[in-house]
Amino acid sequence: MNKGKKVGEERALPGEKSAELLSVRNKYVPKAVYQVTPIFIAKGEGALIEDVDGNEYIDFVAGISVLNIGQRNDEVVSAIKEQADKHLHTCFHVLMYEPYVKLAKRLAEITPGDFPKQVLLTNSGAEAVENAVKVARRYTGRYGIIAFEHAFHGRTTLAMGLTSQVKYYKYGFGPFDPGIQRFPYAYSYRAPFDTTDADYGKYCVKRIEDSFRTYMPAEEIAAIIVEPVLGEGGYVIPPVEFLKGLRRLCDDYGILLIADEIQSGMGRTGKMWAIEHFDVVPDILLAAKSLGGGLVLSAVVGRRDIMDSVDIGGLGGTYGGNPLSCAAALKAIEVIERDKLLDRAVELGKIAKGRLEGMKEKYNIIGDVRGLGCAISVELVKDRKTKEPATKETGEIRKKCLEHGLIIMSCAALHNVIRFMFPLVIKKDELERGLDILEDAIKEVNKAM
Ligand SMILES: Cc1ncc(COP(=O)(O)O)c(C=O)c1O
């Protein structure tokens, strides 16, 4: 029986059972494995969560954009069970299985680019990033990789090198890969001079092109890796001039364009892949998170000539593309397409962005509201002119929301952006209810400033 609090009711956190488990966690799990909430989940359904103390929550985080089709989608769960009844692990290098090749074919079909493609299945986002860099280096015979400020590409050593947030992702872990060059992302809200979105996009591209004479020659650059919409960096939507400019640079200088769609893909922005909004086709696209419908899976999808340039044995791993994850991914893709979740992302995104823009008119703490489909964020500032980040206040809002049954997560290097990653299957009344809780929290914190 549920003895906890309903969404909207205030609760003391952690509850008794969560607190007990937390003490075990603190004893046996390193503190470095950070926590956004102090609660343990008992069960979840769609966008709703119940914790072990019976408290209910609306989930605006979805396992960090892993559950675009919701927690425990029935059809995905059935596909996993069906596969589990046939066989579990074989290792694709030893015994091949149909779900792997079926998924490779599906991914080749649903990713941008009217050219033959091949697909490598891996486990985590970081592993996909690592493999994309390996492939790009092998294909081009070059070692340089261009990455961006505010980027997040994962926590393994190479991916961490590509990532651009010091505390605490990179702190104390260097040195990093010497081939990495870093440039500004077209984050015009934080441009260091007065500019427009379009001009800042062009400026960021020019900075790279100029650097071919001063930092590293273009002939030594294998790839540019870019998030078409920044994830951890603050859900920043770049101007089209930026991504089109990067494509042009790649074409002019024989560099590969890698689109890291690990967070922005699988329907979050209202298209299957965020880069489709910009009419740009990458040479390699990376997918993970919602690809597995809740199971562990990532993919490197690339032009066939690029992917096939690696020698036999150069790619793979024990678990990459495990059968349960492939079965789940095939079903997740089917659900997104059949249930028209891309249209739903556009519709829900409009509702959420509209509400947040309304809040911006009322509360000075909101400096910027951004969004593409359901990849939405609000950037919180102490002063709209100086744009001083409201980092402490962001934490307070997050805490108040949680205490009233709404799970949200912040991001960005200055930890002052709240990003919205609710499942695309969230019910409209759940979305509105969550936004009500958020507004109450923002109102209170704004008043105290
Ligand atoms: C854009 C992007 N790339 C890569 C990663 C790394 O993925 P993983 O945590 O699965 O290694 C993430 C994770 O948040 C991400 O958002």
Side-chain angles (χ1 to χ4, degrees):
M1 275 294 279
N2 180 345
K3 292 187 266 87
K5 303 286 184 186
K6 301 262 179 234
V7 168
E9 290 176 345
E10 193 165 358
R11 75 265 341 246
L13 294 174
E16 214 174 292
K17 285 195 185 140
S18 274
E20 261 171 47
L21 291 166
L22 193 57
S23 69
V24 182
R25 178 252 174 267
N26 288 342
K27 198 161 169 191
Y28 295 106
V29 181
K31 65 179 181 308
V33 186
Y34 78 105
Q35 256 72 53
V36 172
T37 73
I39 57 176
F40 282 77
I41 183 172
K43 58 184 183 197
E45 184 92 48
L48 295 178
I49 301 292
E50 187 178 313
D51 75 10
V52 286
D53 293 290
N55 297 307
E56 289 176 352
Y57 303 83
I58 295 173
D59 182 9
F60 273 15
V61 175
I64 317 191
S65 205
V66 167
L67 300 166
N68 286 1
I69 61 166
Q71 182 73 251
R72 244 170 22 82
N73 173 284
D74 279 348
E75 291 174 83
V76 168
V77 171
S78 298
I80 295 167
K81 284 183 180 161
E82 220 173 279
Q83 179 57 45
D85 280 341
K86 291 184 198 152
H87 64 86
L88 292 178
H89 177 76
T90 67
C91 182
F92 193 68
H93 299 298
V94 180
L95 280 177
M96 294 177 285
Y97 38 89
E98 191 178 0
Y100 190 116
V101 291
K102 260 182 136 172
L103 180 60
K105 181 168 178 286
R106 276 311 277 132
L107 283 169
E109 287 163 358
I110 64 167
T111 44
D114 192 14
F115 41 70
K117 292 175 205 142
Q118 286 185 334
V119 178
L120 167 73
L121 297 178
T122 42
N123 298 291
S124 65
E127 197 185 348
V129 168
E130 299 266 341
N131 278 285
V133 171
K134 277 169 65 177
V135 170
R137 285 180 167 166
R138 182 70 187 87
Y139 176 77
T140 58
R142 305 169 176 189
Y143 71 98
I145 304 290
I146 289 178
F148 293 95
E149 286 170 4
H150 304 285
F152 184 84
H153 296 292
R155 292 171 177 276
T156 53
T157 306
L158 173 60
M160 198 174 31
L162 294 166
T163 289
S164 179
Q165 198 182 121
V166 176
K167 278 209 172 168
Y168 288 91
Y169 296 139
K170 302 176 80 164
Y171 195 62
F173 294 135
F176 302 110
D177 190 290
I180 296 168
Q181 305 282 312
R182 190 173 311 284
F183 292 91
Y185 192 89
Y187 181 0
S188 42
Y189 180 70
R190 293 225 169 251
F193 48 85
D194 227 9
T195 181
T196 63
D197 276 5
D199 283 351
Y200 195 51
K202 288 182 204 157
Y203 165 84
C204 292
V205 173
K206 186 170 180 304
R207 279 279 306 270
I208 300 175
E209 195 160 19
D210 289 349
S211 81
F212 295 156
R213 287 191 304 277
T214 51
Y215 291 6
M216 187 185 264
E219 307 84 72
E220 289 178 18
I221 310 284
I224 297 178
I225 181 163
V226 65
E227 292 164 84
V229 167
L230 276 186
E232 298 289 315
Y235 274 36
V236 173
I237 323 295
V240 67
E241 287 77 5
F242 178 59
L243 292 170
K244 276 200 184 293
L246 296 183
R247 181 67 268 177
R248 200 264 304 155
L249 280 187
C250 288
D251 292 340
D252 287 357
Y253 295 96
I255 297 168
L256 299 182
L257 184 64
I258 303 172
D260 181 342
E261 293 264 11
I262 287 164
Q263 188 154 165
S264 57
M266 291 298 287
R268 170 115 325 253
T269 64
K271 290 198 186 279
M272 194 60 112
W273 312 104
I275 201 151
E276 294 175 86
H277 289 280
F278 303 89
D279 195 22
V280 166
V281 176
D283 301 295
I284 296 175
L285 181 148
L286 308 180
K289 293 200 182 269
S290 279
L291 174 64
L295 290 201
V296 175
L297 186 65
S298 59
V300 183
V301 184
R303 264 174 34 207
R304 184 183 288 161
D305 57 324
I306 297 170
M307 298 297 287
D308 233 1
S309 66
V310 183
D311 313 271
I312 292 178
L315 300 174
T318 305
Y319 295 107
N322 81 81
L324 297 186
S325 297
C326 290
L330 283 162
K331 192 51 82 179
I333 293 168
E334 189 186 318
V335 169
I336 290 175
E337 289 182 337
R338 188 201 59 212
D339 294 352
K340 301 196 175 3
L341 292 187
L342 304 183
D343 294 343
R344 192 168 166 77
V346 174
E347 192 190 347
L348 295 176
K350 263 192 204 138
I351 297 173
K353 206 173 161 202
R355 285 278 313 264
L356 295 166
E357 272 161 357
M359 291 183 212
K360 186 179 171 200
E361 315 235 306
K362 293 189 259 178
Y363 312 115
N364 285 334
I365 191 172
I366 299 184
D368 196 26
V369 176
R370 310 184 271 265
L372 193 58
C374 283
I376 302 169
S377 65
V378 289
E379 178 147 0
L380 303 176
V381 292
K382 288 192 174 162
D383 180 311
R384 283 191 178 168
K385 271 213 182 83
T386 62
K387 299 181 182 175
E388 187 187 342
T391 303
K392 181 173 73 66
E393 291 78 3
T394 305
E396 284 167 10
I397 290 169
R398 194 157 52 85
K399 185 163 175 284
K400 281 186 198 301
C401 285
L402 190 67
E403 285 166 354
H404 290 85
L406 174 68
I407 304 172
I408 56 168
M409 192 171 176
S410 58
C411 62
L414 305 166
H415 307 289
N416 67 323
V417 177
I418 297 173
R419 57 179 149 167
F420 300 88
M421 301 174 275
F422 45 77
L424 308 179
V425 296
I426 192 171
K427 296 188 179 121
K428 283 186 190 157
D429 63 318
E430 292 165 353
L431 175 61
E432 295 281 8
R433 191 81 193 87
L435 289 165
D436 290 343
I437 294 172
L438 176 76
E439 176 156 7
D440 287 347
I442 290 181
K443 189 174 173 181
E444 226 179 289
V445 171
N446 188 75
K447 201 159 77 187
M449 269 187 20

